[in-house]
Amino acid sequence: MAEGRRDPPHPLLSLPPASKRPCLRPAPRGPGPGPGYSSGLTSYRQRSPESLLDCAAKAVAEKWAFERVEERFERIPEPVQRRIVYWSFPRNEKEICMYSSFQCRVFGEEGPSTATTGAVVVGVGPTTTAGGGGTTTGTTTVGTTGGVGTGDALPFRRGIRLLDTGCVENVLQVGFHLSGTVTEPATTLDPEVTHKVAISFDRCKITSVTCSCGDRDIFYCAHVVALSLYRIRKPEQVKLRLPISETLFQMNRDQLQKLVQYLITAHHTEVLPTAQKLADEILSSNSEINQVHGAPDPTAGASIDDDNCWHLDEDQVREQVKHFLSQGGYYGSGKQINSMFAKVREMLRMRDSNGARMLTLITEQFMADPRLSLWRQQGAGMTDKCRQLWDELSALWVCVVLNPHCKSEEKSSWLMQMKKWSDMDVCPLEDGNYGRELPNITNALPQSNLAQDSLSRPRRTVFSRAVEACNLHWQGSHLQRIISSDYYMSPSYQRDEESLLFNPQGLPLWLGTRTHAHNHVPTACARVDALRSHGYSREALRLAVAIINTLRLLQQREMDIYRHQKKDLLQRGVTTTTNLEGWVGHPLDPIGCLFTTLTETCRVDDDSTMDTGEGEHRRPVYHHVPVWGSHDGGESYLTLALEVTLMGMGQQRIMPEGLYAQEKVCRNEEQIVTKLQELELDNVLVQTLRRQAIQLLEAGPFSGLGEVTHRESVPMHTFAKYLFSALLPHDADLAYKVALRAMRLPVLESSAASVDIGQPRHGISIITNRYPRWFTLGHLETQQCELASTMLTAAKGDMLRLRTILEVIQKNIHSSSLIFKLAQDAFKIATPADSPPDITLLNVALELGLQVMRMTLSTLNWRRREMVRWLVTCATEVGLRALVSILQSWYTLFTPTESTSIVAATVMSHNTILRLSLDYNQREELASCARTLALQCAMKDPQNCALSALTLCEKDHITFETAYQIVIDAASTGMTYSQLFTIARYMEHRGYPLRSFKLASLAMSHLNLAYNQDTHPAINDVLWACSLSHSLGKNELAAIIPLVVKGVHCATVLSDILRRCTMTAPGLAGIPGRRNSGKLMATDKAPLRQLLDATISAYINTTHSRLTHISPRHYGEFIEFLSKARETFLLAQDGHIQFGQFIDNLKQIYKGKKKLMMLVRERFG
């Protein structure tokens, strides 16, 4: 990557100055090879032990600036200088990998928390360096295997390929400066290109890089990687020279002049102006250059005052973070930023000062994100993905400031910067909702402060915990002894059960405070995370064990307290005791930290588990590693990890405020359960699991699985589901006890003990009589449902357990939709396709379905019809008795309409009879129940159930007549004309024309069609009723025409009826006992005379009504309407006279509508 000029950096981010310190004197000559000496050694020394010179040179090269060496010693022999210069180049390929790829993982060492594609697997092993004076022990090399797909595109992989294919040439080391050329092979698209690479280094760190390729990135380019690896792997092939100032000192005046002139000649276009300028200044006695002793040498290494850190391109870090943030979480930008966070953790673990430096750069860009001010102005919360990134940023700062070996100046500088960020208006708050603040990291809030007004509390930002962590130190003697030794114990004669430093077994305890210990678990775990993050894995393990011993002791004491208070608490049935700050979902993730720290040392890593860069997740493999210094031979770090995770997950804790905080609790809970599921449970782990589950059940109000809980405590459904699945193969009774206890959802108990709350909550909770609101209530209810479903599945065939589970479900689940889902799940499990159904589970499914019916009977539910149909199917699978039962108790389960149209109709279907293989008596019993139901429903809701009742009863004369009479009785009161027409048509279809006519007449008496309703849906029913009456005979027609004249005022409909009645003779239906004359009916005689007069009158009225608001575009339609009217007028004996008078009246009344009247004259005269 190219190197250019930069503005002065921030004080926190000061770059090391260029390695061009003044060189005042040459090193004295000593014994050893002359200037032409090569770095190569004879082969017989390649396998010999390291010389004392090399051992000393390695130590000096790593720790001391070369200027300090020159000042300390008057004479430095040239061989000594050479060995110091030789060993000053980085020896660890893992460090090169770290600066050229997102992730670098060493065998046996857990990588960064966020895995990314393209990871490089690093192996540890010695390499032999012929020019290095023997074997370079401790040097880490990176293999070339692995890494496919996207991993091959990483600079480190490309650099290895360039090195392996011999693309690195002309390598020269002059003092602390390495140069060479790297050739990119030609491809089908690009020609061969050679790049010039230059690297400066100091104290085993690369301090600056320059490459002519011009690539700009956070990481070193592939060409820098190739040259660096060449120097590490093939040091014997690198020409090694002392700093150029040493060579110049050996030259006389003529040689120096010749060197300068040749240099200018070779590069006159580049250096000639500079050379002339320098010559002018040197020749001027008053010039600034003559006021300074010596001259700079870029190859002489760093000065004493220079910072010793790896080269990091700050501008690129800023640009890339800014670019990722501008994408708003799209295109994998969140994953990229997480990878940068992982890189920070990797640097911290390598104890690289660039970790804090890079984190500062990232934070500056986060604080400059324009969305922060926008969200603040709009009063809206940031996106969930963005909030997670801020959480990780906050946790990283806590890790950084808790570095046990950081300088006080560094900590003060970080503290000042974080306070500056916190004071900015746009700085995100810790809980994200400007509500109740969480306890301070160093001072726990007492319980009484929960009611304190939120306005009086200090403003807590995402940096508040890191700011508070700056007050923590590592100087305590007890803490130092814990992290320094595996065998730190109290003397046996000093052991006391009340001791705050040791448990009764003499093992050290630690939570960092003597009061409010629970609230300091996250703080203590933050220390563990800091130790682990900075590469102090053994110390982190020791402190983690001490914390777990403390939690064990606290758990035991809490159980003792509960035993004394148990009677009183059980009488009250609820507790006010809960933890102010839950460990699950906490910003510092204490449980996840302890689990990761303890399991890292137990993880089995081999070549088969290496990350290939494809992002494929492999289940980790763990083995038991005994706890150092433990008296319990069966205790391992793996059992401790399981125990403390169960302890933390089972902690009773109050639901935090705010949507994000509550979602974080759920998310963190699922993440921890996923980690637990990766553990393969052996006998030792199962015993730990059983013991901790029993303790959680017996721990009272301090456990979420205790007998009494706080009303607003976080439910244990997700955790209990894991416990149930893990314990079931080993201790079924305990598994069911845990799961049944965890089915509680106390926050709903007082408000929804007996009513349906409808759909699961997916947004704001309906619980309005409390603060805060439970935004995640819908998710919690779904988890509760999944726990119940898991138990039902496991208890298949066990009637006693199923009955217990059913009772718990009916008591604790208040959402009809979730109970219905449980019923469906149970039904599906109980009726496998390849085996007989399980009747016990089927009965549970039916019971749940019946409860759903009762809960939704009087509420609106869009899935109600689906639920009813499913219940009938379930009852059918159970058998005849179940069907009879739901038919007999229909009024508690279904509406009348559902009972007749869905339930009874399905029960009486041919498919149901065949499915149950019923005999004649059973069919009659079922039919009798269905007919009784039909009559009851018709009486209760005749409008919607009459037709279904008639259909169900049509095979039984008595019940059919009863149903018909119910319809007749209800016709005059509550039934509409459309319902009556439908039943009338049904009667005609079933062969009851006279009953059909009666119902049609009743329907006509309810009907009223206005003059302009010529498209009314009832017109077809009116025409059918008139046709039915006409077919029955003259008497029926005479009876219905007055009803038609009264109810229908639409001229076109009346003329259509009149036309139909004159086309055929009445009485064609052939009713037995009646004679048919076969003559057509005249319009001038009854009953058609009345209909004709009504039709003519309707035409006259309609004409006047239409002319009132007619527009020219409707003139043609109006003329056609008059033509139809004339046809009706002409049916009367004096019709032509009446029509002529009608037209004359129109001309007189509407003479103002000249155009229209002209059209009327043209058509009708």
Side-chain angles (χ1 to χ4, degrees):
M1 58 191 85
E3 179 159 315
R5 296 179 62 83
R6 297 189 180 92
D7 295 329
H10 190 280
L12 276 177
L13 308 174
S14 56
L15 283 169
S19 301
K20 298 180 180 179
R21 62 180 178 83
C23 295
L24 305 179
R25 63 174 178 79
R29 293 286 166 262
Y37 175 75
S38 171
S39 61
L41 296 177
T42 53
S43 59
Y44 76 89
R45 289 197 52 192
Q46 292 182 8
R47 299 183 181 276
S48 62
E50 225 171 38
S51 67
L52 184 59
L53 171 61
D54 276 313
C55 291
K58 284 174 67 175
V60 169
E62 187 173 0
K63 301 297 183 183
W64 282 21
F66 194 66
E67 184 181 20
R68 174 175 291 181
V69 178
E70 291 179 325
E71 291 181 352
R72 179 75 177 271
F73 304 101
E74 292 185 6
R75 294 173 53 83
I76 307 176
E78 185 174 326
V80 175
Q81 290 188 60
R82 288 183 176 277
R83 301 320 295 158
I84 293 175
V85 169
Y86 174 85
W87 288 112
S88 291
F89 195 82
R91 312 159 203 164
N92 194 340
E93 288 189 16
K94 185 173 66 173
E95 294 172 323
I96 308 298
C97 177
M98 182 170 68
Y99 279 92
S100 55
S101 62
F102 262 127
Q103 182 183 4
C104 174
R105 182 172 169 194
V106 182
F107 292 129
E109 179 180 306
E110 182 67 21
S113 59
T114 305
T116 60
T117 58
V120 179
V121 182
V122 183
V124 180
T127 58
T128 303
T129 57
T135 304
T136 312
T137 57
T139 300
T140 303
T141 60
V142 181
T144 58
T145 59
V148 296
T150 56
D152 285 339
L154 289 174
F156 189 80
R157 287 285 175 208
R158 290 177 52 217
I160 289 178
R161 285 203 306 272
L162 291 171
L163 176 63
D164 291 344
T165 53
C167 297
V168 183
E169 297 177 322
N170 305 319
V171 183
L172 173 66
Q173 180 180 341
V174 180
F176 297 87
H177 185 273
L178 182 71
S179 61
T181 59
V182 180
T183 303
E184 285 274 11
T187 64
T188 54
L189 300 177
D190 300 311
E192 181 179 282
V193 182
T194 299
H195 300 289
K196 296 180 179 179
V197 184
I199 299 174
S200 296
F201 53 91
D202 172 51
R203 283 168 276 182
C204 298
K205 294 182 177 68
I206 292 176
T207 56
S208 68
V209 296
T210 306
C211 181
S212 62
C213 70
D215 290 346
R216 302 282 294 177
D217 198 355
I218 296 177
F219 301 126
Y220 298 164
C221 66
H223 316 111
V224 171
V225 172
L227 181 60
S228 302
L229 296 182
Y230 187 97
R231 172 61 178 79
I232 293 174
R233 295 186 180 185
K234 303 177 181 179
E236 73 282 355
Q237 299 180 24
V238 178
K239 297 177 183 178
L240 177 64
R241 300 288 185 268
L242 292 177
I244 192 66
S245 55
E246 296 293 327
T247 305
L248 295 177
F249 182 80
Q250 299 173 25
M251 298 181 181
N252 57 31
R253 183 189 178 287
D254 292 338
Q255 290 173 320
L256 288 171
Q257 183 171 357
K258 183 177 290 187
L259 172 67
V260 173
Q261 288 184 237
Y262 268 101
L263 181 64
I264 293 174
T265 302
H267 304 284
H268 64 278
T269 57
E270 293 91 353
V271 305
L272 184 57
T274 304
Q276 186 60 56
K277 179 182 177 182
L278 292 175
D280 293 341
E281 291 185 4
I282 290 173
L283 293 174
S284 174
S285 59
N286 297 325
S287 65
E288 184 180 351
I289 198 171
N290 285 320
Q291 307 303 317
V292 180
H293 296 286
D297 181 1
T299 67
S303 66
I304 297 174
D305 298 329
D306 289 345
D307 290 333
N308 181 230
C309 61
W310 284 79
H311 170 71
L312 180 68
D313 194 328
E314 295 180 2
D315 290 340
Q316 280 303 302
V317 174
R318 293 189 186 98
E319 286 299 318
Q320 292 214 19
V321 175
K322 183 178 180 180
H323 174 67
F324 293 148
L325 288 175
S326 67
Q327 293 180 347
Y330 298 103
Y331 310 112
S333 59
K335 182 178 180 182
Q336 296 293 334
I337 294 178
N338 275 322
S339 297
M340 296 180 77
F341 286 151
K343 180 58 62 180
V344 171
R345 285 194 178 272
E346 187 181 351
M347 290 176 174
L348 294 179
R349 173 163 284 199
M350 298 286 289
R351 302 174 196 175
D352 188 336
S353 60
N354 278 340
R357 187 171 151 211
M358 185 171 177
L359 183 60
T360 304
L361 294 168
I362 294 172
T363 308
E364 286 182 341
Q365 295 307 306
F366 267 63
M367 291 299 298
D369 189 348
R371 293 178 297 171
L372 291 179
S373 58
L374 183 64
W375 285 327
R376 186 173 183 272
Q377 291 169 5
Q378 296 176 344
M382 64 177 65
T383 61
D384 188 61
K385 288 183 179 180
C386 191
R387 183 72 213 187
Q388 291 179 44
L389 294 176
W390 274 101
D391 281 348
E392 178 64 14
L393 186 76
S394 172
L396 276 172
W397 272 115
V398 174
C399 270
V400 167
V401 301
L402 282 178
N403 180 359
H405 291 104
C406 74
K407 299 176 183 177
S408 59
E409 297 82 11
E410 287 180 321
K411 186 176 287 191
S412 298
S413 177
W414 294 330
L415 178 61
M416 185 185 307
Q417 182 62 69
M418 286 188 293
K419 285 183 175 179
K420 180 181 176 182
W421 288 329
S422 293
D423 291 339
M424 296 174 67
D425 291 338
V426 296
C427 186
L429 299 184
E430 184 177 59
D431 59 2
N433 68 334
Y434 299 89
R436 188 184 68 201
E437 305 297 340
L438 295 175
N440 185 288
I441 195 171
T442 54
N443 298 297
L445 293 175
Q447 186 92 9
S448 60
N449 283 355
L450 275 176
Q452 185 181 355
D453 184 6
S454 61
L455 295 177
S456 64
R457 299 192 187 100
R459 178 174 178 265
R460 291 184 60 80
T461 69
V462 291
F463 299 107
S464 294
R465 292 185 182 272
V467 169
E468 293 158 2
C470 290
N471 298 323
L472 301 177
H473 60 81
W474 298 86
Q475 280 72 46
S477 59
H478 183 59
L479 176 60
Q480 283 294 320
R481 290 189 180 101
I482 289 174
I483 63 178
S484 301
S485 172
D486 292 307
Y487 302 99
Y488 174 46
M489 296 182 64
S490 69
S492 57
Y493 60 85
Q494 291 182 355
R495 295 177 187 177
D496 182 2
E497 291 188 2
E498 299 300 320
S499 171
L500 297 173
L501 300 181
F502 301 93
N503 66 8
Q505 290 75 39
L507 298 175
L509 307 176
W510 176 262
L511 279 181
T513 181
R514 298 191 177 191
T515 58
H516 306 294
H518 271 290
N519 296 311
H520 281 269
V521 171
T523 308
C525 294
R527 289 182 182 270
V528 174
D529 191 29
L531 287 170
R532 171 179 166 269
S533 297
H534 287 89
Y536 302 101
S537 301
R538 176 57 60 188
E539 290 82 356
L541 275 175
R542 292 165 181 157
L543 185 57
V545 172
I547 293 172
I548 294 171
N549 287 331
T550 310
L551 293 179
R552 285 172 168 173
L553 185 62
L554 289 174
Q555 186 184 51
Q556 187 59 47
R557 290 178 179 175
E558 288 168 352
M559 291 179 68
D560 294 339
I561 294 172
Y562 171 61
R563 291 191 183 100
H564 291 90
Q565 301 175 347
K566 183 174 182 179
K567 184 177 181 180
D568 179 52
L569 287 172
L570 291 178
Q571 285 178 347
R572 285 188 295 172
V574 69
T575 179
T576 57
T577 304
T578 188
N579 292 288
L580 294 176
E581 200 171 21
W583 303 335
V584 176
H586 191 279
L588 299 177
D589 189 19
I591 301 304
C593 164
L594 291 177
F595 182 87
T596 303
T597 302
L598 292 164
T599 54
E600 265 184 2
T601 193
C602 303
R603 185 162 179 167
V604 178
D605 283 317
D606 52 33
D607 292 344
S608 64
T609 62
M610 97 178 124
D611 192 342
T612 62
E614 296 180 319
E616 179 186 357
H617 176 72
R618 296 177 182 271
R619 180 172 177 170
V621 179
Y622 299 103
H623 68 287
H624 288 282
V625 176
V627 177
W628 288 35
S630 172
H631 295 288
D632 185 356
E635 188 171 80
S636 70
Y637 291 112
L638 202 57
T639 60
L640 288 184
L642 177 61
E643 181 179 357
V644 74
T645 305
L646 298 177
M647 204 180 297
M649 288 284 284
Q651 176 206 31
Q652 184 176 172
R653 52 199 180 271
I654 198 166
M655 178 66 76
E657 291 184 31
L659 172 61
Y660 178 74
Q662 294 177 17
E663 287 181 339
K664 188 175 180 181
V665 168
C666 300
R667 183 167 53 248
N668 190 215
E669 200 172 41
E670 290 168 357
Q671 290 169 347
I672 294 174
V673 166
T674 300
K675 291 180 180 179
L676 287 174
Q677 289 171 339
E678 291 177 342
L679 295 177
E680 187 173 343
L681 298 178
D682 55 17
N683 291 333
V684 177
L685 292 179
V686 168
Q687 292 305 314
T688 303
L689 187 70
R690 290 183 70 255
R691 182 175 63 253
Q692 192 55 228
I694 293 170
Q695 288 181 335
L696 289 173
L697 289 172
E698 298 175 352
F702 303 97
S703 164
L705 293 172
E707 292 183 81
V708 287
T709 56
H710 190 279
R711 181 172 179 268
E712 295 172 11
S713 63
V714 177
M716 296 282 111
H717 307 135
T718 303
F719 177 46
K721 183 182 174 184
Y722 163 76
L723 288 178
F724 179 80
S725 301
L727 286 169
L728 190 63
H730 312 285
D731 191 337
D733 290 338
L734 181 58
Y736 280 103
K737 189 174 182 181
V738 168
L740 291 170
R741 176 78 61 81
M743 279 294 293
R744 300 170 299 192
L745 191 52
V747 73
L748 294 181
E749 294 304 321
S750 61
S751 59
S754 60
V755 297
D756 176 31
I757 304 179
Q759 304 300 321
R761 266 63 57 183
H762 297 291
I764 297 175
S765 167
I766 66 162
I767 307 302
T768 57
N769 61 342
R770 68 179 297 271
Y771 184 83
R773 294 176 296 183
W774 283 42
F775 295 93
T776 55
L777 192 54
H779 172 78
L780 297 174
E781 288 182 293
T782 302
Q783 294 298 312
Q784 182 188 35
C785 177
E786 290 185 6
L787 173 60
S789 181
T790 303
M791 284 194 289
L792 287 174
T793 303
K796 178 180 177 181
D798 190 331
M799 186 169 60
L800 214 55
R801 290 200 194 278
L802 286 174
R803 179 56 56 184
T804 305
I805 297 168
L806 177 61
E807 291 172 357
V808 171
I809 291 172
Q810 291 173 332
K811 176 184 177 183
N812 293 288
I813 299 184
H814 307 289
S815 167
S816 58
S817 296
L818 292 177
I819 296 178
F820 181 53
K821 181 182 183 303
L822 279 176
Q824 289 178 306
D825 291 345
F827 179 79
K828 185 177 181 180
I829 298 166
T831 54
D834 54 352
S835 59
D838 183 273
I839 193 63
T840 56
L841 195 52
L842 266 179
N843 279 317
V844 170
L846 180 62
E847 285 290 334
L848 292 172
L850 293 175
Q851 183 178 355
V852 172
M853 291 299 102
R854 287 188 286 267
M855 293 173 69
T856 58
L857 180 59
S858 57
T859 61
L860 294 176
N861 192 305
W862 64 274
R863 299 184 65 190
R864 173 73 183 178
R865 288 182 65 84
E866 176 193 357
M867 294 172 175
V868 173
R869 293 184 184 279
W870 178 88
L871 182 71
V872 177
T873 303
C874 182
T876 303
E877 288 294 326
V878 174
L880 176 65
R881 290 296 98 200
L883 290 176
V884 170
S885 175
I886 65 172
L887 290 175
Q888 291 177 344
S889 58
W890 68 268
Y891 46 85
T892 64
L893 305 171
F894 316 108
T895 64
T897 305
E898 292 168 347
S899 299
T900 54
S901 62
I902 301 177
V903 179
T906 306
V907 169
M908 294 300 296
S909 67
H910 184 64
N911 289 337
T912 303
I913 303 300
L914 290 178
R915 180 74 182 85
L916 294 175
S917 303
L918 303 179
D919 57 28
Y920 175 77
N921 292 331
Q922 291 172 328
R923 289 199 299 270
E924 281 302 307
E925 180 184 8
L926 203 59
S928 175
C929 290
R931 288 192 291 268
T932 302
L933 175 148
L935 294 178
Q936 292 172 347
C937 292
M939 287 288 292
K940 190 170 184 178
D941 186 8
Q943 295 91 338
N944 298 311
C945 301
L947 180 59
S948 298
L950 288 167
T951 305
L952 290 168
C953 297
E954 62 185 14
K955 292 184 179 180
D956 184 84
H957 178 70
I958 296 175
T959 53
F960 184 79
E961 290 298 325
T962 304
Y964 174 69
Q965 192 57 47
I966 291 172
V967 174
I968 297 300
D969 294 342
S972 59
T973 55
M975 299 188 72
T976 64
Y977 62 83
S978 60
Q979 294 168 339
L980 291 171
F981 274 131
T982 303
I983 298 173
R985 286 177 179 265
Y986 164 79
M987 282 296 186
E988 184 195 29
H989 179 70
R990 302 307 298 172
Y992 300 101
L994 293 177
R995 292 183 176 183
S996 176
F997 168 72
K998 185 174 182 179
L999 291 169
S1001 300
L1002 291 170
M1004 287 299 301
S1005 64
H1006 291 75
L1007 182 65
N1008 184 17
L1009 282 181
Y1011 74 92
N1012 58 351
Q1013 292 182 302
D1014 52 357
T1015 58
H1016 195 279
I1019 291 175
N1020 287 332
D1021 289 326
V1022 173
L1023 295 176
W1024 168 80
C1026 293
S1027 297
L1028 174 65
S1029 304
H1030 185 267
S1031 67
L1032 290 177
K1034 187 176 180 179
N1035 294 335
E1036 284 75 13
L1037 185 60
I1040 205 169
I1041 282 179
L1043 298 175
V1044 173
V1045 170
K1046 180 182 178 182
V1048 179
H1049 306 287
C1050 182
T1052 55
V1053 176
L1054 291 172
S1055 64
D1056 194 7
I1057 295 172
L1058 184 62
R1059 181 183 59 80
R1060 294 178 182 226
C1061 290
T1062 57
M1063 291 178 63
T1064 58
L1068 296 181
I1071 300 299
R1074 292 190 182 183
R1075 295 179 60 187
N1076 181 13
S1077 62
K1079 295 181 180 181
L1080 296 176
M1081 299 179 65
T1083 56
D1084 58 343
K1085 295 181 180 179
L1088 294 187
R1089 177 66 187 183
Q1090 183 184 3
L1091 181 59
L1092 176 60
D1093 292 342
T1095 306
I1096 292 173
S1097 177
Y1099 268 117
I1100 294 172
N1101 293 332
T1102 304
T1103 299
H1104 287 295
S1105 297
R1106 295 183 67 168
L1107 284 172
T1108 304
H1109 304 291
I1110 196 169
S1111 62
R1113 70 174 182 271
H1114 294 135
Y1115 285 173
E1117 182 184 339
F1118 179 73
I1119 296 299
E1120 293 301 322
F1121 174 77
L1122 288 180
S1123 299
K1124 292 181 180 180
R1126 182 172 61 179
E1127 294 175 3
T1128 302
F1129 272 80
L1130 293 178
L1131 291 176
Q1133 289 184 352
D1134 55 348
H1136 62 287
I1137 299 173
Q1138 290 185 46
F1139 186 73
Q1141 292 173 349
F1142 174 53
I1143 294 298
D1144 291 340
N1145 288 337
L1146 291 181
K1147 293 175 185 177
Q1148 184 63 32
I1149 297 172
Y1150 301 102
K1151 58 185 177 181
K1153 300 181 183 296
K1154 295 180 181 180
K1155 184 177 180 180
L1156 178 59
M1157 291 303 106
M1158 183 182 68
L1159 294 174
V1160 170
R1161 291 190 193 97
E1162 288 177 357
R1163 176 69 68 92
F1164 305 108

